[in-house]
């Protein structure tokens, strides 16, 4: 039952427990208890709203920062990740395979604020060897949701 609950909640965290119980063919109490247990076990870590900031008047710049580090003896990557994710600007930190160690995702109002975060807070950390910042130019799909409709140019091609 857990996997079914998680699959539904991942797509629609606002679903009513009663509706979810009917959908799964379970009792409302059983579903509510299972959700509460998963919250206590930190399987369900939070409920978020996906916002298409491009449709609002609010300006947001999303940056993905590649970070190369030197892991500290006896502490590995976890201690460095903790130092990074404790910055309030950081939305996500992922340990990666390949050419760099971490991907750090932040959102700020301007590119300058992103640059200040990298130069003033992230890059000076002891274990950081290098960073490379990439700015998201446009989001088409986020967390499994298409954010906008693709507008197809229906004009006729005219050649001389």
């Amino acid at each position: 039952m857990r996997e079914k609950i998680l699959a539904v909640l991942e797509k629609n965290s606002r679903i009513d427990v009663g509706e979810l119980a009917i959908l799964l063919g379970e009792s409302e109490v059983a579903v509510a208890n299972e959700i509460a247990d998963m919250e206590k076990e930190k399987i369900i870590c939070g409920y978020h709203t996906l916002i298409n900031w491009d449709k609002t008047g609010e300006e947001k710049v999303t940056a993905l920062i590649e970070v190369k580090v030197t892991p500290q003896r006896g502490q590995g990557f976890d201690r460095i990740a903790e130092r990074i994710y404790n910055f309030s600007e950081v939305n996500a930190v992922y340990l990666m395979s390949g050419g760099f160690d971490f991907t750090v995702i932040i959102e700020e109002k301007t590119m300058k604020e992103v640059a200040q975060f990298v130069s003033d807070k992230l890059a000076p950390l002891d274990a950081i060897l290098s960073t490379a910042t990439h700015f998201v130019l446009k989001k088409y799909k986020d967390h499994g949701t298409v954010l906008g409709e693709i507008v197809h140019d229906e004009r006729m091609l005219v050649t001389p």
Side-chain angles (χ1 to χ4, degrees):
M1 174 168 59
R2 280 187 166 199
E3 290 78 20
K4 291 179 182 177
I5 291 172
L6 293 172
V8 173
L9 289 178
E10 189 173 40
K11 296 283 185 206
N12 180 10
S13 63
R14 294 186 63 187
I15 190 167
D16 179 70
V17 175
E19 288 178 54
L20 184 55
I22 291 169
L23 186 65
L24 300 177
E26 301 284 343
S27 76
E28 192 170 330
V29 172
V31 171
N33 288 338
E34 195 65 40
I35 290 171
D37 288 345
M38 288 189 287
E39 289 171 345
K40 286 178 196 161
E41 296 170 33
K42 297 292 184 191
I43 294 170
I44 297 175
C45 300
Y47 300 89
H48 301 278
T49 302
L50 179 60
I51 298 170
N52 184 351
W53 288 104
D54 291 342
K55 299 275 185 178
T56 71
E58 187 75 23
E59 290 292 321
K60 293 251 185 195
V61 174
T62 303
L64 285 75
I65 306 163
E66 297 176 2
V67 181
K68 291 183 184 179
V69 302
T70 302
Q72 298 168 344
R73 174 172 283 213
Q75 298 175 354
F77 292 105
D78 295 345
R79 178 72 129 181
I80 301 165
E82 182 180 8
R83 290 190 68 197
I84 295 170
Y85 70 62
N86 278 322
F87 288 120
S88 62
E89 296 89 345
V90 173
N91 288 346
V93 178
Y94 304 110
L95 181 62
M96 307 297 293
S97 64
F100 55 95
D101 301 304
F102 292 109
T103 296
V104 177
I105 300 174
I106 69 169
E107 284 185 344
E108 292 293 339
K109 291 186 183 290
T110 65
M111 288 184 185
K112 183 177 181 179
E113 287 179 349
V114 171
Q116 282 181 314
F117 167 77
V118 173
S119 64
D120 296 349
K121 294 184 178 180
L122 186 61
L125 293 177
D126 293 335
I128 305 291
L129 294 175
S130 68
T131 65
T133 303
H134 306 274
F135 292 98
V136 174
L137 301 177
K138 184 173 183 178
K139 293 181 182 178
Y140 295 98
K141 187 175 185 178
D142 197 1
H143 290 83
T145 301
V146 175
L147 297 179
E149 298 172 20
I150 302 292
V151 178
H152 297 285
D153 189 355
E154 295 185 14
R155 295 179 290 177
M156 242 175 31
L157 179 64
V158 178
T159 57

